[in-house]
Each structure stands twice: as structure tokens, then as C-alpha cells.
Amino acid sequence: MSGSPIKNVLRKLGLERRKLSLMSQKTPRRVNRWFKWLSPGLFIKRWLLISLTGAILLSLGLAIWVKLTPINRLIGLLSQLLELITRLIPSYVSGPLAVMIGLFLLLWGQSRTVGSITEALQPDSDQELVDVLLTHRRLNRGPKIVAIGGGTGLSTLLRGLKQYSANITAIVTVADDGGSSGRLRREIGVLPPGDIRNCLAALADEEKLLTELFQYRFKAGDGLSGHSFGNLFLTVMTEVTGDLERAIAASSKVLAVRGKVLPATLTDVCLWAQLSDGRIIKGESKITEANGKISLIGCEPPNPTALPAAIKAIEDADCIIIGPGSLYTSVIPNLLVPGIREAIAKVKVPRIYICNIMTEVGETDNYTVSDHLRAIDQVCGQRVFDAVLVQKISPSELALKRYAAENCHPVYLDREEVSRLGCFLVLANVMSENEITGYVRHDPQRLARVLVRWFSES
């Protein structure tokens, strides 16, 4: 059908690319872009110098080989031509004129060369090639950041961090058993792709359009209704490549992902929780629906094997970020993998936990900041982070009323307890609020900016 949502998204993608192409054609050429090519770190000047040296040596070699005879004749011919020109046109006119013509030809030739390369490598981009190279070099020199979590919280964090570094590794939980991911898990036997899909979309260069395409859910069709396009894409890639790790790597190349996304484990794990009233609830999606107070949490099998690439990323990291996300169903499931929590505990790099802004019904009812810290300490058996980031400013009255109607409240900062637990406190405004609905979320740009500043000062 011509009006189907997927075709509309694809059509929009094509229109957007054409729009960018037209913008690129209309962008005026700026003189200062030539100076950017001289910026350090691009590895351009050295290769131009090497090429020039090669051309000179080639010319000298040929001249020596033929005993300079053609060179002497050519020099003599040029000398006679120059004498004729200087007799007809004074040197103070012909000299500057030749210099200007030479510079014009040189700049014109280089401009057309760079333009052709840019058109071939980036036909639909409005960015100059030199700007792309500068950004590429800056991001590749960024810190090695490992972000651990799941749900929408982790994808929000990645959306901001990718502006500061391309060396990002997202370690994602695979305990989800609800919605489209749960159906694929039960019917096909693949690991749940939902959280991984969100992270890939967040790290992709064409983030807005890819997110719209990847998050699209089919509303009709036998067996398709309720599934997201991204989940189906990853499921097919898993079947084609053989396992989820290879599927993610292949998808990352297709989507031009900035960084890496890794599952915490390739083991098919099932989350369970023991509530304060004695009930034992199995299944990640059923835990919050039970509306009880969680006293203990674990998974089956009890000690899933960590993905080796995830452990290697933690060992090589310059900074480790845990959260944000649902405490028991997004953050802690990663820490139930022994290899992951042990690797985090061993590294001697800055480690920070991002506390949620609001409590969650059936999961962290009436929790304080210190309650979040204790819950993680209980699972890990030790402290695996040095600092905790807490929202500094309270949400508006509209937001407080909106959440109170759902029995949710801001996570209370009990400073004395946090201090007694020996955790460094980072207070900052990292929240964005929807003025219409009253919902609050972590703001990607604010969150990333605060974390990068904290890391640079650590």
C-alpha cells in the first residue's frame, strides 16, 4: 500500500536526503575551510608532502636515466619563451600575473578534487569533507566509555555521549521478556533484541529517521501486529549471522553506528524476584506488575557467562557509567552476570551510577538515593562505583501532580546516608520536562555534558 507507515518513513528518508543534497549545493564556499586542512591530526599534510617528494624524485630519476637531454632542451625552450614574454610584457606585470594564474589554477584544481571526493564519499551530506574529518578525529580521540544498563535510560545516555566520543561501548541487558521482544524470544528462541535496538538507533548517525523506522510497530498483519521493525531486523540478522553478537556487529555497519553495542551475556536468562511478602515472581515483565516490595533478585541460570568482548571493553575503559534505567529490571540484570560485576570492581577508573529521577511503581516505591545504592551493593557484594549522579532541581508542580496520580515521587536525596555509604555525590540539573504532559526524563545533552566534565576532573 502506498500509504503504509513504513513506506512513509522510507519516502521521508529519501526526501530528507534530497533536501540535504540541495543544501550542500547551495552552501557557499568559504575561504577558511582551506585553513582547516592544515589543522593538526588530520594526517593530510604529511601525505601531501610525501606525494610531492615522490613526484620530485620520480622526475629526477627519469632525468638522470635519460642523461638530462630532454630536460636541457625543455629548460632551453622555457628560457627562450620567458625572455620573449619579458620583452613583450614588463616583469613587474608578467611576474604577478603568472603568480595569480598559477594560484588560481592550483586552488581551482584542488577545489574540484576535494569536491569530487566529497561527492563520492558523502553524496547526500551538507557537511564539508574537512569538517567530517575533523569531527572524526576528535571523536576517535575521545575517552573509552562503557555504559551499562538497558531500557530507554541507556539509549538516552548514548544519544548525548556520542557527541563527545566514538569510543563508546554499551553493555545491554538481555532479560526482557515482554512485548515484541518477549514474543520473539518465546516463538523463535532468540535473545530479546528490544534494548539493543534502542541503543543502535541512539548511536546511529541518522538517529532521528532510524529511530522512527526502528521503533515503528506493525498495527496489523497475522503475526506482525505489535512487533517493531527493529526487533524483526535484528532477529533476521541473528539468523543470518549465527548469533546476536555477530548480528549486532553487522547491523552496526549497516547503520553507521558510532561505538559498539554488546549484550551482557549470550545466555538465555530469566529474571526472578522475591518480594517482602514471600512471593517469588519469575519474568522481568511480571516483576513490576506484582506491585510488591522487592527484597531479593536473581536470574536463572544463576551464573550466566559474560560476553568476553564486554569484559574486554570494561578492562580497557577510561570511564564506566552505570544507568540510568529501571533499577531492578534494566540496571541490576547486567550485574547478575558474575564476569561483568567482577570486571567493574577490578578496574581502577572513574565509575559512576546515575540515579533515577522518579520512583517506579512495583520496583522502587518510596526509594531514596541510598536505597538504590544498597540494592546494587547487595547484588554485587561490594561497591562497584565511586560516585552517584543525582538530579539537583525538583520537577515542576505540574510534573509532581502528574506523577503523584500514578503513585510516583522524586527519588529523595538522603545526603547523610549517601555520605555514610562512602559514595561521592554529584549534583546537577540533568532533567528535561515536557510542559504539556508533565513527564520528566534525563536530558541527553545535559547528562553527557555533566558526565564528561566529571570524568575530566576525576
Side-chain angles (χ1 to χ4, degrees), residues 160-229:
L161 285 178
K162 75 176 184 180
Q163 306 301 327
Y164 294 90
S165 177
N167 300 312
I168 302 171
T169 301
I171 299 178
V172 188
T173 175
V174 287
D176 187 11
D177 65 354
S180 171
S181 292
R183 287 173 56 191
L184 291 170
R185 185 176 183 178
R186 291 187 297 271
E187 296 170 7
I188 302 180
V190 297
L191 292 176
D195 289 348
I196 292 169
R197 177 201 76 223
N198 289 333
C199 293
L200 287 173
L203 288 173
D205 282 339
E206 294 281 357
E207 178 198 325
K208 184 179 182 299
L209 291 172
L210 274 178
T211 299
E212 187 175 347
L213 182 62
F214 258 47
Q215 305 297 63
Y216 171 76
R217 290 189 181 275
F218 293 91
K219 298 178 178 61
D222 294 338
L224 284 178
S225 180
H227 280 304
S228 72
F229 175 81

Side-chain angles (χ1 to χ4, degrees), residues 226-347:
H227 280 304
S228 72
F229 175 81
N231 284 355
L232 296 177
F233 180 85
L234 281 171
T235 300
V236 172
M237 289 298 287
T238 301
E239 292 290 325
V240 170
T241 59
D243 63 45
L244 183 59
E245 183 182 5
R246 291 192 185 96
I248 296 170
S251 302
S252 298
K253 292 179 181 178
V254 172
L255 304 176
V257 166
R258 191 177 296 171
K260 292 190 294 184
V261 180
L262 300 172
T265 178
L266 293 179
T267 304
D268 185 12
V269 297
C270 176
L271 208 61
W272 61 262
Q274 181 177 336
L275 307 184
S276 58
D277 58 11
R279 287 182 295 163
I280 295 180
I281 310 298
K282 291 186 177 182
E284 181 264 348
S285 61
K286 296 181 176 64
I287 291 175
T288 54
E289 295 174 357
N291 288 324
K293 182 176 176 58
I294 299 171
S295 58
L296 189 63
I297 192 161
C299 66
E300 295 177 355
N303 296 303
T305 303
L307 189 73
I311 295 178
K312 182 68 166 58
I314 293 172
E315 292 173 344
D316 295 340
D318 297 320
C319 171
I320 294 175
I321 302 170
I322 302 173
S326 300
L327 178 63
Y328 287 105
T329 54
S330 291
V331 175
I332 284 180
N334 295 284
L335 304 176
L336 292 174
V337 181
I340 297 293
R341 63 174 182 260
E342 290 167 6
I344 298 172
K346 287 179 183 178
V347 294

